[in-house]
Amino acid sequence: MSGPGVLEDLRVIDATTGPVGGLATMVLADFGADVVKVEPPGGDRFRALPGSSLWLRGKRSVELDLSAAPGRERVRELVAGADVLVVSGPPGRAARLGIDAASAESAQPAIVHCSITPWGPRGPYADLPGYDGIVAARGGRMRAFERQLRRDGPVYSAVPVAMHAASQGAVQGIVAALIARERGAGAQRVETSLLQGLIPYDLIELLATQLAERRGEAPTTLSHMGGDLPTLNYHPVMASDGRWLQCGNLMEHLFLSFLDALELLGEMLVQPRFAEPPDRWDESTVDAARDLILQRVAERPADDWMEAFRRNGNVAIEPYLDTRGALAHRDLLANDSVWAVDDPERGRVVQIGPIAELRVTPARPGRRPPRPGEHTREVLAERRPPRPVAAAAGAPPPPGRPLEGVTVLEIATIIAAPLSTTFLADLGARVIKIEALAGDPYRNLVPGGTPGVKTNAAKESICIDLKSREGLEIAHELAARADVLMHNFRPQVAARYGLDERLLERNAGLVVVAANGYGAHGPDAPRPSTHPVPGAAMSGAGYQAAGALDVRCQGLEEIREISRQLMRANESNPDPNTSVVIASTMLLGLLARQRHGVGQTAQVSMLVANAYANADDFLDYPGKPQRPPIDRDGRGPGACYRLYRARDGWVFLAVTTDAEWARLCDTLGRADLRDDPRFAKLEARRGNDAALIELLEPLLAAGAADEWERRLLEQGVACVRADGPSPGQFLAHDPHVLGNGFSPTSTHARFGEYRRWGPLVTVGGPAPAYAPGCLAGDHTDALLLELGYTRDDVARLRTERVVASEPVEAAW
């Protein structure tokens, strides 16, 4: 069954530049919106990027010079007939071009105006250059990789996660605003930023920083937590043909299945040193098991091992792939997650498809990428009135809470799926989390229970034994009253519990979103997956540590060292990469129900979500340039986008245009380099990259990091200190973060008052308050009473261990 596009009959004016806004509006186009891209004469300067064939698809292009009055008048006419306007850049750019929220609302009183800024709407950084690498360096993300290499200092963060999360944040804000508008809220202002796009990727450190300071201790950065070598559960392993495989066997039963597939389990069980469960092994036993595993995997080629692991069916593991190899992944193909698009400039372009499968209102391939200004005459000749918004019954949702009145039921564990519902909770939804009797295992992955504080923010929690008849009945009763059910069961488990399309028989308007590793239709759908697996398969960690993959290991010690580097590169970003896509999918399902009256099932795969995080390279066409490799020292992909040592620390430099290059040379006092034919033009600089690095390194090493930042930023050259606060310290104390409300205060039952992670996107301004993380089963009794159970019923269910909750045990 297939119905209308989610955003069918809605018009979106895309006045952004580059991939962040481009990807957000591409998602809207995939799901039916008429997206008109407004470009300056000659086109968006970022069209030269290979990834533009992806984020331009499905759109029409209009060329307008918004620096002149006639262009601003034309764009005003377009806005008058639109439903959504999306803008990007520093806060002052939109007002200067006549596309700010106030101007848009004067042209179209019911407009949804989405602003994607680099650093947020105000504060000392508001007008700084907005390159992903600059935001990552200032925000502490490059410090998260400090132990990847055997050198001091930050390491370049290769995957542009801020760009990915901000683009999905824009999708979430726009769709939530449209839901609110359908409910009578009128014009809506949506705001997100690249800096907010970093917030999903700090999972613990913000809280850990505050707790350490409260105890009078020096904060420990997340990059320095844990041992030097990978845990056995998440170990990279090298096969006999030199190819690397990434394990993701977080839970004990998955790890034992891995040993069984290696034909090691029986051998190890007869040895007394391995008699205890793996979580009780001491360091020497873990090291002995590590060597047995590495030696066994090195006996056979990667394809042989993958056949054995797939045959076992309960091993989380994938080979490291580049993006070209990933585009041919059998599960992407089986789930129709790869599209081929005819680009008028580049020919046939194979690229990642839609972010998710919505069964009733699916995405459909639309227009090919347009040439600059291809549709100018056509679009300007149209006199399109905006689609009338029907008057809604009841009061509209309040500012900051566009999802007020929406109930989301979550049955999920660890990070990727639980974090997704926090984004909806921050937009006003009521989120009810069903956990096992002992709680989500992620809560206690770190002693003290800090991990669950972020992933369970602003939720209600009930602990239920779903294997009991009464427990499953409670879950089904909660689903019958919900608007969305999101789970991360593998398909066969969801079917066993009846948590699939059968729920729509009782609740026809329910949106059921299943988030798993591989999607629903491919051969690997029944297999488990955890974050390192899609991170390796979709080129995330592989790109981060590409130099390590090129090493031909000679002996066990070299294998151990490269596996260490690969795991340090494979930090937890694949989970939040997935979370932001799940959140967008839930909202698209809600908007489809609001606009078209349909409930449905939807599928999100970690493979697709992590392909989007690598969208700058997740496409292929004849003659496509290779993704620039990261140098072996982990400083960056080229001389002009790179970490440099300063006299007293590190800076990150981003120079992407000839004008920026000229200003850099003048500031360095090297006007001779500005006109040097080897470096004067962008292509020449790329062709002489090694020579340019050799020249720039001593120049930048001669000055202090803070001084370079001050001098170069004053001249409009993007350069920031890269070895400042870690992510948690930055979010806890940076004045710009605090001034923008990106780490608001809340009060946790166990940890007291703390700064929590702020919203990825706001609609109508920030919410009045952002609730803390809940404890496991915090709301068990209240929810059962709400369902009609008596207090005697609740007492019996607790006694019979059908339901439970954890004690508070205050920690402050």
Side-chain angles (χ1 to χ4, degrees):
M1 181 173 64
S2 179
V6 177
L7 293 106
E8 190 171 293
D9 299 328
L10 298 183
R11 175 171 285 185
V12 176
I13 306 301
D14 177 359
T16 68
T17 60
V20 184
L23 285 165
T25 56
M26 182 212 73
V27 171
L28 304 181
D30 285 352
F31 285 92
D34 173 22
V35 177
V36 176
K37 181 170 176 60
V38 176
E39 308 187 62
D44 187 330
R45 78 177 180 93
F46 292 99
R47 277 178 170 268
L49 296 174
S52 66
S53 287
L54 173 62
W55 47 264
L56 287 169
R57 77 178 180 211
K59 303 177 183 179
R60 297 190 287 171
S61 171
V62 171
E63 283 187 327
L64 292 174
D65 182 2
L66 300 188
S67 66
R72 291 194 294 273
E73 183 57 33
R74 296 291 84 73
V75 81
R76 181 180 174 85
E77 292 170 3
L78 291 178
V79 171
D83 299 278
V84 179
L85 170 62
V86 190
V87 303
S88 65
R93 175 181 180 269
R96 189 171 65 251
L97 301 179
I99 49 176
D100 56 299
S103 299
E105 289 166 7
S106 70
Q108 214 289 56
I111 195 76
V112 171
H113 183 278
C114 176
S115 173
I116 308 170
T117 57
W119 301 91
R122 65 190 68 85
Y125 308 154
D127 293 316
L128 295 187
Y131 299 111
D132 186 276
I134 291 291
V135 176
R138 170 56 65 84
R141 178 155 178 77
M142 294 189 188
R143 288 199 60 194
F145 296 97
E146 282 177 323
R147 290 174 65 191
Q148 181 183 326
L149 303 173
R150 300 289 190 185
R151 68 159 175 82
D152 68 303
V155 173
Y156 176 68
S157 51
V159 182
V161 296
M163 185 170 73
H164 171 59
S167 69
Q168 291 300 318
V171 172
Q172 293 165 32
I174 291 165
V175 176
L178 288 169
I179 292 170
R181 197 180 74 161
E182 293 278 338
R183 296 165 63 194
Q188 298 288 292
R189 296 186 181 187
V190 177
E191 292 184 329
T192 189
S193 65
L194 284 175
L195 183 55
Q196 287 166 276
L198 285 183
I199 294 174
Y201 298 91
D202 174 41
L203 297 167
I204 299 174
E205 199 181 282
L206 172 57
L207 177 61
T209 293
Q210 296 169 84
L211 295 178
E213 291 172 351
R214 198 177 295 173
R215 296 190 297 264
E217 301 169 0
T220 300
T221 63
L222 191 61
S223 64
H224 287 81
M225 294 180 185
D228 193 46
L229 288 168
T231 66
L232 297 181
N233 311 75
Y234 280 174
H235 218 294
V237 292
M238 191 187 77
S240 64
D241 53 3
R243 293 176 61 199
W244 284 86
L245 308 170
Q246 176 63 55
C247 296
N249 300 297
L250 177 63
M251 310 308 291
E252 183 179 280
H253 68 283
L254 301 180
F255 177 63
L256 294 177
S257 293
F258 171 60
L259 295 179
D260 188 34
L262 291 177
E263 299 177 5
L264 267 179
L265 185 59
E267 294 180 26
M268 294 172 71
L269 287 176
V270 300
Q271 298 183 43
R273 71 185 308 169
F274 298 119
E276 293 286 339
D279 63 350
R280 297 184 189 173
W281 290 350
D282 61 24
E283 189 175 337
S284 65
T285 304
V286 168
D287 218 41
R290 184 193 322 279
D291 287 351
L292 286 173
I293 290 168
L294 293 176
Q295 289 165 342
R296 177 58 55 88
V297 176
E299 293 173 2
R300 291 165 57 183
D303 287 345
D304 284 6
W305 282 123
M306 285 306 301
E307 184 179 341
F309 298 140
R310 285 167 172 154
R311 190 165 55 247
N312 177 284
N314 211 31
V315 181
I317 193 167
E318 281 289 328
Y320 280 83
L321 300 172
D322 60 17
T323 49
R324 179 173 293 180
L327 277 165
H329 194 286
R330 65 185 199 170
D331 284 87
L332 288 186
L333 298 177
N335 283 280
D336 294 325
S337 296
V338 176
W339 284 356
V341 177
D342 290 321
D343 186 305
E345 307 293 337
R346 292 165 173 167
R348 195 75 164 164
V349 181
V350 179
Q351 56 190 243
I352 191 64
I355 60 169
E357 175 197 351
L358 273 65
R359 184 70 59 86
V360 178
T361 57
R364 296 186 181 91
R367 298 180 178 90
R368 58 166 174 75
R371 293 186 176 91
E374 181 176 346
H375 305 94
T376 302
R377 182 173 298 179
E378 169 188 311
V379 171
L380 294 182
E382 298 170 354
R383 289 292 181 265
R384 179 189 182 275
R387 190 187 61 82
V389 179
R401 296 181 62 83
L403 301 183
E404 184 89 50
V406 170
T407 298
V408 178
L409 182 63
E410 170 204 315
I411 313 178
T413 58
I414 313 299
I415 300 170
L419 182 58
S420 72
T421 57
T422 66
F423 301 128
L424 272 63
D426 282 349
L427 290 170
R430 181 190 190 190
V431 178
I432 298 170
K433 179 181 178 72
I434 294 179
E435 310 187 52
L437 294 182
D440 183 337
Y442 180 62
R443 288 180 177 274
N444 297 304
L445 207 59
V446 175
T450 54
V453 175
K454 177 170 186 172
T455 54
N456 296 306
K459 300 178 185 178
E460 300 169 46
S461 169
I462 179 171
C463 293
I464 303 175
D465 178 9
L466 291 180
K467 295 179 182 178
S468 69
R469 179 187 58 79
E470 279 192 286
L472 194 55
E473 285 176 359
I474 294 167
H476 278 254
E477 183 62 35
L478 287 168
R481 301 177 180 215
D483 300 293
V484 178
L485 167 68
M486 188 280 301
H487 69 76
N488 66 347
F489 292 124
R490 287 183 264 172
Q492 66 272 28
V493 178
R496 187 163 70 242
Y497 287 144
L499 299 171
D500 51 17
E501 64 274 5
R502 287 172 287 177
L503 292 170
L504 276 69
E505 296 172 7
R506 185 175 177 188
N507 182 355
L510 185 64
V511 177
V512 181
V513 177
N516 52 43
Y518 296 94
H521 310 300
D524 293 314
R527 293 178 60 217
S529 180
T530 53
H531 80 260
V533 170
M538 297 295 107
S539 193
Y543 184 38
Q544 177 71 35
L549 289 172
D550 288 338
V551 173
R552 296 295 299 185
C553 296
Q554 303 296 322
L556 187 58
E557 282 308 307
E558 284 195 11
I559 293 175
R560 286 164 63 101
E561 170 57 18
I562 296 304
S563 70
R564 185 197 70 80
Q565 291 184 33
L566 288 172
M567 194 57 222
R568 283 291 169 185
N570 207 336
E571 47 82 69
S572 58
N573 78 71
D575 271 336
N577 287 344
T578 306
S579 305
V580 294
V581 171
I582 300 171
S584 296
T585 303
M586 289 187 283
L587 286 161
L588 286 166
L590 280 169
L591 182 60
R593 188 185 72 162
Q594 186 83 24
R595 299 192 68 226
H596 306 303
V598 294
Q600 61 184 309
T601 58
Q603 294 282 338
V604 179
S605 88
M606 295 185 79
L607 294 183
V608 169
N610 281 276
Y612 268 82
N614 290 275
D616 59 313
D617 194 54
F618 223 89
L619 68 170
D620 195 25
Y621 55 85
K624 175 184 169 291
Q626 292 255 338
R627 195 182 210 179
I630 310 305
D631 67 299
R632 188 72 183 89
D633 200 35
R635 299 199 186 193
C640 290
Y641 205 79
R642 188 176 189 269
L643 286 160
Y644 286 94
R645 281 189 188 271
R647 187 174 62 229
D648 61 345
W650 292 80
V651 295
F652 185 80
L653 177 71
V655 173
T656 67
T657 68
D658 292 339
E660 291 169 351
W661 168 250
R663 293 196 295 271
L664 172 66
C665 293
D666 290 343
T667 308
L668 293 174
R670 291 297 303 270
D672 59 309
L673 295 179
R674 181 184 59 203
D675 302 319
D676 188 318
R678 296 174 299 166
F679 311 125
K681 297 296 181 184
L682 178 63
E683 287 305 315
R685 290 193 292 277
R686 287 175 178 162
N688 292 281
D689 195 70
L692 186 52
I693 290 172
E694 194 172 331
L695 283 165
L696 290 177
E697 281 187 330
L699 289 171
L700 292 166
D706 290 340
E707 184 64 12
W708 281 131
E709 177 179 309
R710 183 189 65 79
R711 289 179 59 195
L712 289 169
L713 287 176
E714 282 178 354
Q715 299 304 315
V717 177
C719 178
V720 296
R721 185 164 200 140
D723 60 345
S726 66
Q729 295 161 2
F730 180 77
L731 290 171
H733 299 302
D734 188 88
H736 180 88
V737 170
L738 303 185
N740 278 281
F742 294 162
S743 54
T745 57
S746 196
T747 303
H748 190 273
R750 178 168 293 152
F751 299 109
E753 185 175 287
Y754 73 113
R755 288 200 173 275
R756 55 152 279 181
W757 297 265
L760 175 60
V761 63
T762 60
V763 179
Y770 291 98
C774 62
L775 299 180
D778 246 355
H779 308 85
T780 294
D781 292 5
L783 286 166
L784 290 172
L785 293 171
E786 185 179 325
L787 292 177
Y789 290 86
T790 67
R791 294 195 179 276
D792 288 343
D793 294 331
V794 173
R796 176 183 60 79
L797 291 169
R798 282 184 172 277
T799 300
E800 295 175 1
R801 298 291 291 165
V802 175
V803 301
S805 56
E806 68 171 313
V808 173
E809 296 176 1
W812 71 96

